[in-house]
Amino acid sequence: MNVATISRKEIIELATQIAATKNINKQRKIFETLSVKYWDQASKFKPLDETLYLQVCPMTGAMWTSDSKEIKNPYYPKNMLTCGEVKASL
């Protein structure tokens, strides 16, 4: 449980960092780290009544966690919003 507590604090800190910067490139970099940490925890403590999807941007290899199977790529402008694929689900 101690590892989960530490990871939870790291996730909160990453979310705080995203909110603290207006630089979209910094937000994207932090979001990628946050998504990987969140996915790691979610896979250990399976969410109730919710399916989560691990999605990846094929152009950058960056991953994100989503509650929708539909791709909404956070790493590219809206003309590439649907670029990506689902790699796993919980």
Side-chain angles (χ1 to χ4, degrees):
M1 199 61 168
N2 192 29
V3 173
T5 301
I6 292 168
S7 184
R8 182 177 145 276
K9 288 179 182 179
E10 291 172 346
I11 289 168
I12 291 168
E13 175 60 29
L14 289 166
T16 302
Q17 289 175 24
I18 289 171
T21 184
K22 302 288 186 226
N23 183 308
I24 189 69
N25 292 324
K26 287 181 182 178
Q27 288 175 332
R28 287 176 174 148
K29 190 70 175 162
I30 297 165
F31 181 67
E32 182 179 2
T33 302
L34 176 113
S35 287
V36 170
K37 286 189 176 292
Y38 183 81
W39 182 262
D40 183 52
Q41 288 304 304
S43 66
K44 293 175 184 162
F45 302 100
K46 309 230 179 191
L48 296 175
D49 302 327
E50 186 79 35
T51 301
L52 295 176
Y53 301 92
L54 181 64
Q55 300 174 339
V56 65
C57 173
M59 303 296 280
T60 65
M63 294 186 284
W64 68 95
T65 302
S66 178
D67 63 353
S68 172
K69 192 172 186 176
E70 182 181 359
I71 301 294
K72 300 277 185 171
N73 190 329
Y75 299 106
Y76 276 96
K78 65 180 164 182
N79 64 331
M80 299 201 45
L81 187 62
T82 59
C83 180
E85 64 182 311
V86 174
K87 286 298 209 179
S89 65
L90 294 173

